[in-house]
Amino acid sequence: MSGRPPRPRDVPAGTDAGLATVVRQDAKGVVVRLDAAPEGVPLELWCSVRGRVHLGGSVSATTTIAVGDRVRVHRVADDRGAVEEVLPRRSVLSRPEPDQGRRRSRLLQQVLAANVDRVVVVASAADPAFDPGLVDRVLVVAEWSRLDALVVVNKLDLVAAEPPEAAVYRRMGYRVVGTSATTGVGIDELRAALIGAVSVITGHSGVGKSSLLNAVEPGLGLAVGRLNEVTGRGRQTTTSALLVPLAGGGALVDTPGIREFGLYNVPPREVTWLFRDLREVAPRCKFGDCLHRDEPGCAVAAAVATGELAAWRVDSYHRMLATMPDVPRWGIPGGR
Ligand SMILES: Nc1nc2c(ncn2[C@@H]2O[C@H](COP(=O)(O)OP(=O)(O)OP(=O)(O)O)[C@@H](O)[C@H]2O)c(=O)[nH]1
Ligand SMILES: [Mg+2]
Ligand SMILES: [Zn+2]
């Protein structure tokens, strides 16, 4: 028979190896850990993944695979397999796929981790400088994804006092843990907060995510990088997402440092309601569809003037809105 060679997913892929969890992901493929394997057969298989895979439980959807996914795999060799299907997810942490230079009519979802309970956003108090903007974005995504959120302020050994923004997060009801992976401050508290659930760790490169995980779980031996002396940023030491079980129960997902964290599929009008502090004030705005830009009777602007709302939080909100597609043009709401 001639013709095109069969596509990978059409190849009869050997024996059904059962269910597995994706524990590592990089550009070429994933490593899965099987729930069970016969005596002497490796539990971990490398699976190449090209393009998108069928998402179980839905008729037509396909998806990119992520660490934490539960998958059904076939074994094609002792140490190699093929992902047949991604099982339905109980949660995802996702962002728009980074721009690949092509114009897109719609955003594609990049799943950073699947089946997680909590997002841990790590920021450093210094080196690189504390960036509340990224923390705010991750918190908004956590609210939207209905994931628990924890803020970690690392490198406290480099500063005299924790950044004042930490108190603002606590006032909104977020848990903030101050740490130093170098001196060990806060590590016991962080470990206690992480045990028993699946947490995905995110934050800029160089803030100390891998260093913290190594401190929380001795023996992990994750690679840790030096900062770039010119830019003061991290060097993208962690290059693939990795799921590690915690000795005390639960698991952690370490992820490569991120520059930006966009919002996937969040309608602009919803953004206010994902800011815990803005949503307390916004019902007092004159217009129900107020976007808090320069509308008359805006309670958010008034609350910044009186100090009820932190100006940097409202800045974060405005920056987030500015990067979103489909934001209504600047103008008076209600008026056309
Ligand atoms: N002074 C100080 N340095 C730290 C602390 N935690 C980490 N570092 C240093 O910060 C640098 C970056 O640490 P990493 O753990 O590789 O940071 P990361 O967030 O995993 O970075 P990526 O993998 O690139 O995203 C290393 O030189 C660490 O030794 C800390 O609490 N205090
Ligand atoms: Mg790292
Ligand atoms: Zn308003």
Side-chain angles (χ1 to χ4, degrees), residues 282 285-287 290-293 295 297-301:
C285 290
K286 181 170 175 190
F287 296 103
C290 187
L291 285 171
H292 328 302
R293 295 187 289 198
E295 298 91 338
C298 176
V300 168

Side-chain angles (χ1 to χ4, degrees), residues 21 42 65 119 208 230 233:
T21 302
I65 295 187
V119 186
V230 179
R233 286 185 176 160

Side-chain angles (χ1 to χ4, degrees), residues 197-221:
V198 183
S199 304
V200 53
I201 322 292
T202 188
H204 285 312
S205 180
V207 295
K209 298 179 295 298
S210 300
S211 304
L212 283 172
L213 299 190
N214 285 338
V216 161
E217 188 77 1
L220 261 189

Side-chain angles (χ1 to χ4, degrees), residues 57-304:
S58 91
V59 184
S60 60
T62 60
T63 184
T64 52
I65 295 187
V67 165
D69 262 326
R70 295 282 294 156
V71 292
R72 176 171 297 284
V73 296
H74 274 66
R75 193 185 284 279
V76 295
D78 257 7
D79 59 350
R80 238 159 28 80
V83 173
E84 295 292 303
E85 182 187 23
V86 177
L87 302 193
R89 295 162 169 154
R90 70 184 158 90
S91 68
V92 291
L93 178 69
S94 60
R95 63 170 175 171
E97 219 161 67
D99 194 323
Q100 291 160 4
R102 271 176 286 160
R103 278 176 67 89
R104 287 236 169 89
S105 55
R106 68 193 172 93
L107 293 173
L108 288 178
Q109 179 187 27
Q110 182 187 35
V111 179
L112 296 177
N115 303 317
V116 293
D117 304 301
R118 180 191 297 122
V119 186
V120 179
V121 53
V122 181
S124 45
D127 292 352
F130 186 70
D131 177 12
L134 184 80
V135 176
D136 291 339
R137 280 182 166 262
V138 174
L139 292 179
V140 161
V141 173
E143 294 280 329
W144 178 251
S145 314
R146 299 180 189 282
L147 292 170
D148 191 24
L150 174 71
V151 180
V152 175
V153 182
N154 189 36
K155 306 203 187 185
L156 283 188
D157 56 291
L158 299 180
V159 291
E162 86 179 355
E165 290 89 346
V168 177
Y169 291 125
R170 288 198 186 95
R171 229 181 295 140
M172 287 184 259
Y174 288 110
R175 181 154 182 202
V176 183
V177 181
T179 59
S180 166
T182 305
T183 66
V185 165
I187 298 301
D188 287 343
E189 186 187 351
L190 179 60
R191 185 184 301 112
L194 296 176
I195 281 175
V198 183
S199 304
V200 53
I201 322 292
T202 188
H204 285 312
S205 180
V207 295
K209 298 179 295 298
S210 300
S211 304
L212 283 172
L213 299 190
N214 285 338
V216 161
E217 188 77 1
L220 261 189
L222 297 174
V224 162
R226 285 186 305 126
L227 300 182
N228 180 317
E229 277 136 39
V230 179
T231 63
R233 286 185 176 160
R235 295 165 181 256
Q236 298 284 345
T237 304
T238 304
T239 52
S240 58
L242 173 69
L243 181 136
V244 288
L246 274 172
L252 300 173
V253 180
D254 191 15
T255 61
I258 50 171
R259 278 264 170 81
E260 253 315 322
F261 204 104
L263 304 184
Y264 178 75
N265 251 353
V266 181
R269 297 243 178 251
E270 292 291 323
V271 177
T272 301
W273 311 103
L274 303 173
F275 277 77
R276 288 188 181 177
D277 45 358
L278 269 71
R279 76 180 173 215
E280 294 294 312
V281 171
R284 306 201 300 259
C285 290
K286 181 170 175 190
F287 296 103
D289 57 353
C290 187
L291 285 171
H292 328 302
R293 295 187 289 198
D294 61 356
E295 298 91 338
C298 176
V300 168
V304 171

